[in-house]
Amino acid sequence: MRKLTLLLLLITLLISCKPESITFPTSECFWRDLYSEHPKNTQYQDLLDEYVNLGIPGINILISKGDDELWIGSSGVSRIETGEELVPCHTMPVGSVSKFFCGAAAMLMYEDGILDLDKTIASYLGDEWSEPIPNAKTAAVGHLLSHTSGIPNYTDQPAFMLDLLNNKDMNLLRESVLENYVFNKRPLFTPGEEYSYSNPNYEIMTLIMDEIYPNGHADFYSYRLFTRLGLEKSYYKNETDYFTLSS
């Protein structure tokens, strides 16, 4: 039910009227029709089209089964205002998929010897941050990465969701969100005793990375992940090709 509620919220945000729009860069999609011979091509494409017809502006999807079966497809538009067709080559925000990048960066820092998975949040962050963060003195880095910290998730809070829907200019920077919706909240449980998915875990993780890596986590992503792995179409907020808001 929680996943369905969040999906409906995202759909509402996507189709609501806003003076700004997100511009997604693209390149010539020379391989967009390579998967038309897939045995389930029609079935998959019909499913995407069905959801677009229900009101979702656009969908990009990759379906992979093992090493031999791959399907990539799109439906809808990349920009409502112009009706530009959405294609698989459009660069799009990945939302919580960014947690995979954060986790990979954390493990690289661990291998480099600058991050200890068993150290607590408080041991890395000063009192200004660690005092108001729930479980900061007992939750370790490993608890953040595995969603076992007991820190409550702000997207589970009605107040956050209402503010998000009612304020198109809402400040969603991590510092603001943590201060307004996480600080001084009651922990869900003792670290390590249970599992509960929570966005603040990874936002706090980036705060720790900023403390231990001189140029901050964004530059670490750019150099150690995107550049060294050859991810030429992946960008983070510190890079010039990151998507922009336009009127």
Side-chain angles (χ1 to χ4, degrees):
M1 179 62 70
R2 179 181 302 168
K3 291 182 178 179
L4 177 59
T5 302
L6 290 177
L7 176 60
L8 291 174
L9 170 64
L10 290 173
I11 294 172
T12 302
L13 290 174
L14 283 169
I15 64 177
S16 61
C17 296
K18 299 176 65 176
E20 303 90 5
S21 62
I22 297 176
T23 300
F24 301 120
T26 186
S27 59
E28 184 179 356
C29 207
F30 63 89
W31 47 267
R32 58 177 299 182
D33 296 321
L34 295 180
Y35 303 97
S36 60
E37 300 302 319
H38 190 284
K40 293 186 178 180
N41 177 65
T42 301
Q43 178 183 346
Y44 289 155
Q45 190 62 53
D46 286 349
L47 183 62
L48 296 190
D49 295 342
E50 178 182 344
Y51 278 98
V52 168
N53 289 334
L54 289 173
I56 297 178
I59 305 173
N60 265 345
I61 190 169
L62 181 152
I63 299 174
S64 176
K65 292 184 178 180
D67 297 329
D68 301 323
E69 187 173 340
L70 179 69
W71 186 84
I72 300 175
S74 299
S75 184
V77 298
S78 66
R79 187 166 182 175
I80 297 174
E81 295 81 0
T82 63
E84 180 185 352
E85 180 187 11
L86 181 67
V87 296
C89 293
H90 273 102
T91 302
M92 302 176 69
V94 295
S96 284
V97 176
S98 61
K99 290 182 175 66
F100 288 100
F101 291 93
C102 184
M107 297 313 297
L108 286 172
M109 290 183 173
Y110 167 76
E111 292 178 354
D112 290 346
I114 62 175
L115 180 67
D116 189 334
L117 301 181
D118 296 320
K119 278 192 173 183
T120 64
I121 298 169
S123 67
Y124 283 109
L125 302 180
D127 291 343
E128 179 183 0
W129 284 106
S130 60
E131 285 296 332
I133 293 176
N135 283 346
K137 295 182 179 179
T138 53
V141 169
H143 293 130
L144 294 175
L145 294 172
S146 61
H147 291 294
T148 58
S149 69
I151 298 172
N153 189 12
Y154 51 79
T155 56
D156 292 339
Q157 301 175 27
F160 173 82
M161 296 310 230
L162 286 173
D163 289 345
L164 188 63
L165 288 170
N166 291 327
N167 183 5
K168 68 178 181 63
D169 297 318
M170 182 176 173
N171 185 351
L172 292 175
L173 294 177
R174 63 180 179 183
E175 291 83 358
S176 176
V177 172
L178 290 173
E179 181 178 357
N180 292 324
Y181 303 100
V182 178
F183 279 8
N184 301 311
K185 297 293 184 182
R186 183 186 298 275
L188 300 178
F189 48 81
T190 301
E193 289 192 351
E194 298 180 38
Y195 170 90
S196 182
Y197 183 92
S198 183
N199 290 297
N201 285 325
Y202 278 73
E203 288 161 344
I204 295 169
M205 192 68 243
T206 61
L207 288 172
I208 292 174
M209 291 178 175
D210 288 345
E211 288 292 321
I212 63 177
Y213 188 71
N215 296 325
H217 76 282
D219 277 4
F220 191 90
Y221 286 10
S222 296
Y223 175 61
R224 293 294 297 276
L225 294 177
F226 304 148
T227 300
R228 292 184 64 174
L229 294 177
L231 303 178
E232 298 178 354
K233 296 299 180 181
S234 295
Y235 313 103
Y236 198 51
K237 58 187 177 182
N238 59 312
E239 300 175 346
T240 55
D241 289 320
Y242 191 69
F243 71 89
T244 58
L245 288 173
S246 58
S247 300

